[in-house]
């Protein structure tokens, strides 16, 4: 069966065409456009601009796919939440029109479930077999920071989450304070890596000490607003030298990752899961990967190109949803589909 998947929850527009045979996936095509350059001057995503870009980009991306493949698909999967509602609507409307035209079912997908499943795609193949539960998931992106216990597919218990900014959002905002372009995660990470390797840095960077937020609270919640504010006061009104900028990037990355890793370690000790999954845009961070590998060998990460938003993971989640509920055919009443954007959809919550 072929699956067409559509993702437009934030500033990436993506469409994927997947083929599944005997439980294995092949990625036939994946087209993605990033709007990062457009949003750079705002230091974050400007929702209405993003929505208009999605509306413009979706037909273009589909055209690239139909130039190479016919659209004899068995189902269409589309992100319905969480995300920015205007952006979600752009994808949903486009997917509904297409599903009507092709006469195929449309499956609404939870974006975060997509991130979790992204770790099971290896190269062009995808398989979930012999999995044992529970699995602990650390989900880290521009909109989310949460520790989730996956008790079985579709059965999620949120152990803790950020009380304010998401970790990716903190990376982006701190990058802006340091004069680095959006999205800030990869920029901070690259600078921090240079500073970490440079021989004179350990001495100088000890001069800057940022807080490790929430480590005094023996729960699984996070908070990154205070850390961000601490950087703000260190940089406010100052002209930073390149070496000071690199030191700050290093100390910020160390502080954020230490918090994530410490709380994940506590959750591993308490819940003794069979495996750990780390997913979402910040899972592309090399320092996070290195530190997580120090606390457990039994960890799955997405390949770097599947860590940030993409449509492949939405196709995988859509197919998985279809397998879980083979009898539940998504309704396609004469008046059209009834899928709606759910900006703050939670894992395990029924998609309406
Ligand atoms: O999952 P994602 O593409 O979009 C959301 O669903 O939010 O995550 C994007 C976030 C951005 O905040 C970006 O700065 C961050 O992931 N990010 C990184 C890295 N690559 C992307 N953060 C830290 N280190 C990275 N290498
Ligand atoms: Zn995401």
């Amino acid at each position: 069966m072929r699956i067409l998947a559509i993702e437009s929850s934030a500033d990436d527009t993506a469409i994927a065409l997947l083929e599944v045979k005997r439980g294995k996936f092949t990625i036939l095509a994946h087209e993605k456009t990033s709007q990062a350059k457009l949003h750079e001057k705002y230091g974050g995503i400007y929702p209405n601009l993003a929505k208009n870009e999605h509306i413009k980009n979706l037909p273009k991306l589909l055209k690239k796919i139909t130039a190479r493949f016919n659209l004899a698909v068995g189902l269409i999967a589309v992100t319905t939440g969480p995300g920015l509602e205007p952006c979600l609507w752009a994808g949903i409307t486009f997917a509904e029109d297409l599903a009507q035209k092709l006469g195929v079912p449309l499956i609404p997908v939870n974006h975060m479930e997509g991130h979790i499943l992204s770790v099971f795609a290896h190269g062009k193949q995808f398989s979930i077999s012999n999995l044992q539960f529970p699995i602990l998931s650390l989900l880290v992106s521009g909109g989310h920071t949460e520790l989730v216990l996956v008790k079985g597919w579709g059965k999620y218990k949120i152990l803790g989450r950020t009380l304010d900014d998401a970790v990716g959002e903190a990376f982006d905002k701190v990058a802006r304070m340091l004069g680095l372009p959006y999205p800030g995660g990869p920029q901070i990470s690259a600078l921090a890596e240079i500073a970490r390797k440079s021989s004179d840095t350990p001495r100088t960077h000890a001069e800057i000490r940022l807080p490790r937020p929430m480590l005094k609270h023996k729960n699984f919640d996070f908070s990154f607003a205070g850390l961000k504010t601490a950087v703000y006061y260190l940089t406010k009104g100052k002209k930073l030298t390149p070496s000071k900028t690199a030191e700050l990037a290093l100390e910020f990355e160390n502080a954020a990752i230490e918090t994530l890793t410490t709380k994940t370690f506590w959750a591993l000790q308490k819940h003794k899961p069979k495996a750990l999954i780390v997913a979402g845009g910040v899972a592309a961070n090399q320092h996070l990967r290195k530190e997580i590998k120090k606390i457990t060998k039994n960890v799955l990460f997405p390949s770097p190109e599947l860590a940030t938003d993409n449509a492949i993971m939405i196709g995988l989640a859509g197919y998985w949803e279809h397998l879980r509920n083979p009898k539940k055919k998504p309704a396609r009443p004469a008046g059209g589909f009834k899928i709606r954007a759910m900006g703050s959809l939670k894992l395990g919550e029924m998609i309406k």
Side-chain angles (χ1 to χ4, degrees):
M1 166 161 57
R2 284 189 179 183
I3 298 158
L4 191 80
I6 294 163
E7 158 63 33
S8 69
S9 65
D11 63 343
D12 291 309
T13 323
I15 305 186
L17 182 64
L18 310 174
E19 180 150 277
V20 57
K21 257 190 208 145
R22 279 172 261 115
K24 291 220 161 186
F25 273 87
T26 307
I27 299 160
L28 298 176
H30 184 220
E31 297 294 339
K32 175 170 155 173
T33 325
S34 167
Q35 303 172 14
K37 276 264 156 299
L38 269 179
H39 297 282
E40 200 171 319
K41 60 174 173 292
Y42 306 103
I45 306 171
Y46 190 65
N48 276 329
L49 177 64
K51 177 191 84 178
N52 291 335
E53 284 300 303
H54 289 308
I55 292 172
K56 226 165 55 193
N57 292 334
L58 284 163
K60 289 188 193 163
L61 298 183
L62 185 68
K63 218 167 160 190
K64 284 191 186 174
I65 293 181
T66 51
R68 293 192 288 140
F69 299 95
N70 71 45
L71 278 189
V73 298
L75 60 89
I76 297 178
V78 64
T79 305
T80 185
L84 300 165
E85 288 202 355
C87 298
L88 293 163
W89 275 121
I92 292 171
T93 311
F94 183 79
E96 283 183 345
D97 281 353
L98 203 58
Q100 287 283 15
K101 252 185 239 152
L102 299 175
V104 297
L106 180 61
I107 297 201
V109 167
N110 183 315
H111 180 84
M112 300 317 286
E113 198 165 65
H115 274 303
I116 293 177
L117 287 168
S118 70
V119 305
F120 297 104
H122 304 286
K124 292 200 167 220
Q125 296 289 318
F126 167 87
S127 56
I128 300 185
S129 50
N130 308 325
L131 271 190
Q132 291 192 311
F133 295 100
I135 297 175
L136 181 69
S137 275
L138 171 67
L139 300 176
V140 278
S141 70
H144 287 81
T145 307
E146 45 193 39
L147 272 166
V148 181
L149 199 63
V150 186
K151 296 173 164 182
W153 289 120
K155 292 191 196 122
Y156 304 101
K157 182 173 184 209
I158 302 191
L159 302 179
R161 57 157 59 100
T162 183
L163 304 177
D164 39 57
D165 293 357
V167 63
E169 186 183 355
F171 266 92
D172 295 336
K173 287 179 177 165
V174 166
R176 195 166 160 82
M177 293 171 200
L178 299 181
L180 302 169
Y182 172 83
Q187 303 284 333
I188 290 201
S189 168
L191 262 190
E193 213 45 57
I194 295 169
R196 202 172 274 123
K197 284 191 183 123
S198 111
S199 56
D200 66 329
T201 311
R203 255 180 298 126
T204 42
H205 108 264
E207 290 166 18
I208 305 172
R209 178 77 186 168
L210 290 169
R212 269 57 180 162
M214 299 294 284
L215 291 189
K216 287 200 183 84
H217 298 76
K218 299 288 168 211
N219 58 22
F220 301 116
D221 287 333
F222 301 95
S223 161
F224 293 98
L227 179 57
K228 174 190 72 184
T229 309
V231 177
Y232 173 75
Y233 284 113
L234 284 172
T235 56
K236 191 178 151 198
K238 292 201 182 105
K239 181 136 183 43
L240 298 172
T241 60
S243 78
K244 199 79 181 167
T245 305
E247 278 173 46
L248 273 164
L250 175 61
E251 177 59 7
F252 168 76
E253 184 177 77
N254 283 343
I257 302 296
E258 193 179 317
T259 308
L260 293 174
T261 312
T262 305
K263 295 235 162 172
T264 304
F265 179 64
W266 293 348
L268 288 173
Q269 285 190 314
K270 178 161 182 200
H271 293 280
K272 304 199 171 17
K274 301 287 191 292
L276 172 67
I277 285 175
V278 182
V282 183
N285 186 284
Q286 290 305 320
H287 184 59
L288 174 65
R289 289 181 181 229
K290 218 167 55 211
E291 294 302 303
I292 288 282
K293 283 180 195 156
K294 287 183 189 166
I295 60 168
T296 176
K297 299 271 170 286
N298 201 1
V299 56
L300 296 163
F301 294 103
S303 62
E305 67 278 14
L306 291 192
T308 47
D309 287 350
N310 64 84
I312 295 164
M313 67 185 197
I314 302 307
L316 303 179
Y319 183 67
W320 205 240
E321 174 66 27
H322 167 72
L323 284 187
R324 279 202 308 247
N325 298 304
K327 289 208 188 89
K328 195 179 113 195
K329 284 266 174 292
R332 190 154 41 86
F337 294 93
K338 292 262 184 298
I339 294 173
R340 59 185 178 88
M342 297 173 79
S344 44
L345 180 67
K346 302 202 174 35
L347 272 170
E349 190 181 339
M350 282 296 287
I351 297 178
K352 291 186 202 91

